[in-house]
Amino acid sequence: MTTRDVPLGTVQIGICSGHVNYPLYIRSVPTQGELKFHYTVHTSLDVVEEKISGVGKALGDQRELYLGLLYPTEDYKVYGYVTNSKVKFVIVVDSSNTSLRDNEIRSMFRKLHNSFTDVMCNPFYNPGDPIQSKAFDSIVSAMMVQAC
Amino acid sequence: MESLTLSDVEQKYYSELFLSCDVDNAKKVASNGKVLDLFRAAQLSNEVVLQITELCGATRLGHFGRSQFYIALKLIALAQSGMPLRVETLNSVRDLPLPRFVMGKNEQETRHAVMFADAENQGHYLPRPPGRVQAKKVSVHEMIQPCVPTVDPQPDTTSPVVSPHQSPPTSPHAWRKHKRQASGGNVDRQPSVPGVVWPPFREAQPGPVTADGMWSAHSPPPVQESWVSFTDTPPSSTLPMHPPSAQPESTTVRTMTSVMTTNEIQRQTSGYDDPWKITDEQRQYYINQFKTIQADLTGLIPGSAAKEFFTKSKLPILELSHIWELSDFDKDGALTLDEFCAAFHLVVARKNGYDLPEKLPESLMPKLIDLDDSAGVPEPATEVGFSASPVEVTPNKSPSMPSLNQNWPELNQSNEQWETFSERSSSSQTLTQFDSNIAPADPDTAIVHPVPIRMTPSKIHMQEMELKRTGSDHTHPTSPLMAKPPELSDETKLTATIKFPGTTVGDGYSSSDSFTSDQEPISSAVNRQRSHSGTSPEGLKVVAPPPPPPRPQPSHSRSSSLDMNRNFAAVPAGSQQTGVVAFPPAVPPRPLPTQTSVPHGHRVVEGDGLPAHTSTSPQQMPEQPNFADFSQFQAFAVDQPADDGEKPSDSGQAKVSTPLAPPPKPVRRRLKSEDELRPDVEDLPQKSNVIATVLATQPSIPRSIGKDKKAIQASIRRNKETNTVLARLNSELQQQLKWSVGSSGRMSISPISTPLLTV
């Protein structure tokens, strides 16, 4: 991994579902280095799992996954969020993006969750399928653009 | 040059050809190269071509003028008909077939199709050809008999001239067969391959007609199929006249567009303004279909049933999913009649080749907002920008005939707000958070929902604890809380109270009837808030005048984990401390100065603090007239300075406990602690002592609660009031401290606040 892989103003959102934790949706802005974010999301799942297994109470709460510095060279923050059905949302933001505060991240997660439930309500969507809903895409894109 | 008389058809055809040859756009001369190509494409022997060019005079002129061109074309036709090439015969030959040219471009066919259609239905399809003409890339296209339905079989027999190049008989035959149904007639006369050339076009001609007919009958799939077969036949590069030639896609596109333009024309002729409008018979059809799934027209079709139904349309799942997203307006996973009709219409349109829109067209939007769960709260409608009328009709889901709902266009514009509501409605978190007193102010929502769930100054630990005990009663039904607003003088507290109803209203949209019913008292406040969305503090000013200018409260990093504090973020409680609660209670101003003075004087002298606060307090004074604890506080204030720093509890307690049994204790304690918070670091131990004392005194409260309910409620109320008072005091003290003492003072406070936050 090279240093400074994270270009400025990067945001990535990943959604992984259920116990199997396969990705339902991954989107990043800008789109370069996406693979790296895939990896980040994947590794952060471990931390998320650890957190949700440890905390018996308050399921579905918005837990924060503030890693700060994942590696000495890496500088991005990973936020996590888990729903009651063990669907994990992960947002990766560049550390240089100091304008993003915790409340904003929380609201982003809330929006994500709402959009996700809308997608779920669609009878043509089979849970476990990758999310291809255009409405969902538009919401996520708008949110990420706003965050960057 | 010999004069040349051309029939109309010929005239048109020739001019088109000329245009195609007129590469230089000279409009007068056809380039030699192209012309020769054209002639060669006529599949005449070279000598014949030469002869023709000679005859028409081009050789003489050296170029092909229009007249030469036309003559040449006519001669070609002659030659192709097998007639001797004579200039004299040019005009004498009647019913001469148009010259045929074999070209390898697909546009030919489509153009042919168009031309045929034009020929056949001149009135109807005229708009199309011009478009098609531009599509013409190569000069040669064929306009065959179809234009002249009465063409005699003669051309067929002459086809051998062109036969060598037209190989695959099979495809045209297949195609012919398909078209045969439509056309009939000349098809039979095409025995040989060249003849094959003809039928396609002839058949193509009726194609559009049938397509139109089908469209009008609202049975799109057959149309598609007919056009599809158009291109299904194996491509043959040498058969330009065969639609299934080199580029089937373009043909398909062409035919599709031709179909669609046809449809458009038809629709225009039938008076459609909006391609998405549902006609009456369509609507009736949809309603009948709806009935097959759900007998009750006012009911809902569950998602699974709808899925099965629409899967039958054979559209790809992704598109069906998109259609669902568009049509399920209220995102409830079920379709009302309106939604069902919209979905059905979209399916029909999609099958006809229309692309799905990104957003639901206005004419397809369901007429009524499905807000009947929220028991007809009119404010949200206004909030979202709807006119009141549709909302009032909300509970009625009956499917009336679709008319363009003028109110709904606003929905488009207010999507953001609508989304807000759906957020509220669809998010279970809102409900749970409501319960757990975590209702973060969503910055996305235009409406600020203050959550006055607890009037807890989060700073002080014991307060929180106590309030937790009593606060749970207040969190849900807010009537006691709402009774408070008049008493609340502070802006922050008002905001806090507003947040609560705001949140509940939001939840009300989420079909939580209980909330809406409970919130009757709140609704008034809510309405006020609604009308001032995003300006709840100001709105609350109506209730009670806010206290002195709010001091900006930046986001508290420390307390950010506490969502509660976020609620108060909008409230400039006027203190920069980190966990300052926004609930400055309706504090009787008088005690404040005395109390604020205490820190300065180490709880002994009040002089200094007084003047500092006099400026602020007087403003508060008139605002809290009905604060019962006024006297009590005064008693405190008097006592406070006199007390020693350690444990003033006893004396003050004795004095105060009489008027109010349980509440005074904690209040006093808090005052005490606040005072002690103020000063320097050495007071820390004292503070902790005080806190311990307060905590110790807390158990006494429940005992008194065991008395009758009214007393309890009164005590609760008083408690709250004191809480707010203390919070206010606290904030002011903080402010003062900050100003006077500086950072060191703040430092002393933080250790106290931290434990609170963790609670």
Side-chain angles (χ1 to χ4, degrees):
Chain A
M1 287 270 187
T2 65
T3 63
R4 205 67 196 105
D5 268 347
V6 179
L8 292 176
T10 317
V11 179
Q12 203 213 16
I13 291 174
I15 302 177
C16 304
S17 92
H19 301 271
V20 193
N21 280 338
Y22 46 84
L24 293 183
Y25 186 85
I26 293 196
R27 167 78 68 85
S28 63
V29 166
T31 51
Q32 60 259 30
E34 190 158 332
L35 194 59
K36 181 180 182 302
F37 288 125
H38 275 248
Y39 174 75
T40 309
V41 168
H42 193 73
T43 54
S44 62
L45 287 179
D46 283 337
V47 190
V48 177
E49 289 270 349
E50 168 195 327
K51 287 207 175 217
I52 60 176
S53 62
V55 180
K57 58 164 172 105
L59 299 166
D61 272 10
Q62 300 154 337
R63 285 181 218 85
E64 190 173 347
L65 187 62
Y66 190 84
L67 297 181
L69 220 60
L70 201 56
Y71 309 110
T73 54
E74 237 75 63
D75 55 341
Y76 49 82
K77 302 179 220 167
V78 184
Y79 296 92
Y81 179 97
V82 182
T83 69
N84 288 325
S85 54
K86 299 276 193 291
V87 177
K88 300 163 191 71
F89 297 79
V90 178
I91 295 181
V92 181
V93 293
D94 189 38
S95 278
S96 58
N97 194 349
T98 52
S99 62
L100 272 185
R101 293 204 306 269
D102 184 61
N103 355 340
E104 297 179 15
I105 301 284
R106 284 178 196 273
S107 72
M108 282 171 74
F109 274 127
R110 198 170 319 107
K111 261 196 186 167
L112 270 179
H113 195 176
N114 288 332
S115 312
F116 181 71
T117 52
D118 288 344
V119 168
M120 279 291 160
C121 280
N122 190 332
F124 297 101
Y125 171 77
N126 301 314
D129 290 349
I131 296 174
Q132 286 161 316
S133 147
K134 288 186 213 158
F136 187 78
D137 279 347
S138 60
I139 290 175
V140 172
S141 309
M143 199 165 65
M144 291 205 292
V145 166
Q146 189 189 13
C148 283
Chain B
M1 286 291 114
E2 299 78 6
S3 62
L4 191 61
T5 57
L6 297 171
S7 66
D8 288 345
V9 174
E10 282 175 327
Q11 181 73 23
K12 210 158 45 163
Y13 182 50
Y14 291 171
S15 62
E16 263 193 280
L17 283 175
F18 187 77
L19 281 170
S20 65
C21 289
D22 189 3
V23 180
D24 298 335
N25 253 346
K27 299 267 191 304
K28 271 188 290 186
V29 178
S31 69
N32 277 10
K34 290 217 84 141
V35 171
L36 289 173
D37 285 343
L38 186 72
F39 291 170
R40 257 176 244 117
Q43 293 174 338
L44 303 169
S45 60
N46 276 347
E47 310 86 63
V48 176
V49 171
L50 281 171
Q51 197 179 4
I52 289 173
T53 50
E54 216 180 319
L55 278 173
C56 75
T59 326
R60 253 184 305 127
L61 290 174
H63 63 270
F64 280 96
R66 193 177 276 269
S67 48
Q68 284 84 44
F69 191 74
Y70 288 177
I71 292 167
L73 289 175
K74 194 103 191 216
L75 287 171
I76 290 171
L78 277 178
Q80 287 176 339
S81 318
M83 304 216 280
L85 293 177
R86 294 278 184 275
V87 177
E88 319 62 280
T89 59
L90 274 180
N91 291 335
S92 58
V93 177
R94 294 280 163 255
D95 293 334
L96 188 66
L98 295 169
R100 297 188 304 277
F101 300 92
V102 182
M103 293 303 293
K105 294 293 192 272
N106 248 11
E107 285 78 13
Q108 306 313 314
E109 305 109 36
T110 57
R111 299 193 60 251
H112 295 313
V114 177
M115 300 299 280
F116 297 145
D118 290 354
E120 185 74 2
N121 310 297
Q122 299 255 344
H124 234 151
Y125 297 82
L126 271 176
R128 269 196 282 151
R132 292 296 174 269
V133 169
Q134 282 126 29
K136 176 164 69 164
K137 296 188 183 70
V138 183
S139 57
V140 185
H141 75 283
E142 189 171 24
M143 180 93 116
I144 312 186
Q145 272 121 352
C147 304
V148 186
T150 60
V151 158
D152 50 284
Q154 192 180 8
D156 307 335
T157 58
T158 61
S159 48
V161 177
V162 283
S163 60
H165 298 265
Q166 297 162 22
S167 43
T170 54
S171 56
H173 281 280
W175 186 50
R176 199 192 323 166
K177 275 193 216 110
H178 178 85
K179 296 301 179 186
R180 198 183 296 256
Q181 314 146 10
S183 62
N186 292 334
V187 175
D188 312 317
R189 283 184 264 137
Q190 316 304 331
S192 58
V193 172
V196 163
V197 173
W198 303 68
F201 294 100
R202 208 162 325 183
E203 289 162 351
Q205 179 195 6
V209 182
T210 50
D212 299 332
M214 290 180 194
W215 171 253
S216 55
H218 297 297
S219 59
V223 177
Q224 304 312 310
E225 288 158 43
S226 70
W227 290 112
V228 166
S229 62
F230 204 94
T231 59
D232 272 351
T233 53
S236 154
S237 57
T238 57
L239 289 172
M241 299 181 263
H242 292 280
S245 200
Q247 296 116 32
E249 295 82 10
S250 60
T251 309
T252 317
V253 169
R254 196 80 39 154
T255 56
M256 295 278 288
T257 47
S258 67
V259 168
M260 281 160 60
T261 46
T262 314
N263 300 331
E264 281 166 30
I265 292 163
Q266 268 211 333
R267 258 183 292 103
Q268 280 159 18
T269 54
S270 62
Y272 275 91
D273 298 328
D274 177 6
W276 298 110
K277 208 178 238 177
I278 305 178
T279 65
D280 285 348
E281 65 259 25
Q282 277 176 314
R283 184 115 197 144
Q284 204 48 50
Y285 179 69
Y286 300 155
I287 290 176
N288 293 337
Q289 292 292 312
F290 185 93
K291 281 192 196 144
T292 64
I293 309 176
Q294 159 76 274
D296 179 18
L297 287 181
T298 62
L300 296 168
I301 292 185
S304 47
K307 176 181 179 177
E308 284 173 37
F309 182 80
F310 286 115
T311 313
K312 286 191 245 167
S313 70
K314 306 270 190 304
L315 283 180
I317 294 288
L318 192 58
E319 293 185 11
L320 288 172
S321 170
H322 188 60
I323 288 176
W324 176 276
E325 271 179 6
L326 288 176
S327 53
D328 186 8
F329 204 65
D330 45 12
K331 302 271 180 267
D332 58 356
L335 296 182
T336 66
L337 182 66
D338 282 334
E339 293 172 344
F340 177 83
C341 292
F344 209 132
H345 197 64
L346 284 170
V347 168
V348 165
R350 187 71 189 120
K351 294 221 81 153
N352 282 331
Y354 282 87
D355 284 330
L356 293 177
E358 291 300 317
K359 288 180 143 193
L360 192 65
E362 286 174 14
S363 50
L364 291 180
M365 285 196 188
K367 281 183 64 187
L368 308 166
I369 312 171
D370 189 351
L371 281 178
D372 53 4
D373 290 330
S374 59
V377 182
E379 287 78 12
T382 51
E383 203 54 41
V384 189
F386 301 146
S387 63
S389 46
V391 182
E392 275 139 18
V393 194
T394 298
N396 171 28
K397 274 199 213 180
S398 64
S400 38
M401 290 313 284
S403 56
L404 201 56
N405 191 346
Q406 300 307 325
N407 301 316
W408 286 93
E410 297 166 21
L411 177 61
N412 280 332
Q413 298 137 20
S414 53
N415 265 346
E416 184 66 29
Q417 292 159 313
W418 177 248
E419 191 182 324
T420 302
F421 288 121
S422 62
E423 272 184 26
R424 292 271 171 208
S425 60
S426 60
S427 164
S428 58
Q429 302 157 11
T430 330
L431 298 177
T432 56
Q433 288 171 359
F434 181 82
D435 292 340
S436 57
N437 190 27
I438 303 173
D442 193 344
D444 308 319
T445 62
I447 306 155
V448 175
H449 301 299
V451 182
I453 297 175
R454 287 191 212 136
M455 306 196 296
T456 309
S458 65
K459 261 196 77 182
I460 302 183
H461 177 67
M462 67 286 277
Q463 284 176 342
E464 218 176 12
M465 281 186 55
E466 186 197 339
L467 276 175
K468 262 192 198 157
R469 224 169 294 156
T470 57
S472 54
D473 303 333
H474 305 297
T475 46
H476 297 286
T478 56
S479 19
L481 268 184
M482 287 319 294
K484 293 253 172 207
E487 300 169 356
L488 301 177
S489 58
D490 235 56
E491 175 186 7
T492 52
K493 172 149 188 183
L494 295 175
T495 312
T497 49
I498 296 167
K499 281 187 177 180
F500 184 73
T503 314
T504 54
V505 172
D507 295 333
Y509 301 138
S510 65
S511 65
S512 54
D513 291 324
S514 59
F515 285 111
T516 48
S517 57
D518 289 343
Q519 304 317 331
E520 286 323 302
I522 300 168
S523 55
S524 58
V526 171
N527 297 351
R528 237 176 290 115
Q529 303 324 311
R530 285 288 178 210
S531 54
H532 309 286
S533 67
T535 61
S536 36
E538 287 72 42
L540 275 174
K541 277 176 186 169
V542 176
V543 181
R551 277 153 264 180
Q553 184 169 348
S555 69
H556 309 300
S557 57
R558 203 181 292 275
S559 63
S560 59
S561 56
L562 243 193
D563 292 341
M564 207 192 318
N565 289 312
R566 229 166 346 128
N567 298 339
F568 315 144
V571 177
S575 48
Q576 298 97 350
Q577 331 91 331
T578 51
V580 166
V581 177
F583 286 116
V587 182
R590 237 164 292 146
L592 289 178
T594 55
Q595 283 159 8
T596 52
S597 69
V598 171
H600 287 280
H602 285 271
R603 297 174 253 66
V604 177
V605 182
E606 43 185 318
D608 300 336
L610 239 178
H613 275 267
T614 349
S615 56
T616 56
S617 50
Q619 303 161 26
Q620 304 144 21
M621 287 176 96
E623 295 149 26
Q624 299 107 26
N626 38 2
F627 229 66
D629 293 335
F630 201 77
S631 54
Q632 171 189 358
F633 278 60
Q634 274 181 320
F636 286 162
V638 170
D639 292 335
Q640 291 283 347
D643 280 343
D644 200 307
E646 258 74 41
K647 298 279 174 80
S649 53
D650 305 326
S651 53
Q653 191 169 3
K655 288 201 184 134
V656 186
S657 53
T658 36
L660 307 158
K665 289 181 205 160
V667 171
R668 271 197 50 261
R669 291 287 165 268
R670 268 173 248 125
L671 283 173
K672 220 41 257 162
S673 56
E674 277 183 349
D675 301 341
E676 284 158 357
L677 286 176
R678 272 314 174 116
D680 329 294
V681 189
E682 52 264 20
D683 288 335
L684 266 173
Q686 285 162 350
K687 289 179 215 168
S688 43
N689 287 340
V690 172
I691 293 170
T693 315
V694 175
L695 289 171
T697 57
Q698 281 183 346
S700 66
I701 299 167
R703 260 178 271 128
S704 54
I705 288 179
K707 299 183 185 171
D708 79 282
K709 203 176 177 187
K710 261 197 178 172
I712 294 166
Q713 283 177 349
S715 61
I716 289 170
R717 210 171 303 119
R718 263 180 250 110
N719 250 346
K720 286 205 184 143
E721 290 161 8
T722 53
N723 284 339
T724 51
V725 172
L726 291 169
R728 186 94 217 303
L729 169 68
N730 194 12
S731 58
E732 290 189 6
L733 292 176
Q734 290 284 335
Q735 186 68 23
Q736 265 207 328
L737 182 66
K738 184 193 179 245
W739 291 334
S740 55
V741 181
S743 61
S744 63
R746 267 229 265 216
M747 298 283 282
S748 63
I749 295 163
S750 17
I752 300 297
S753 47
T754 316
L756 294 174
L757 294 173
T758 55
V759 174

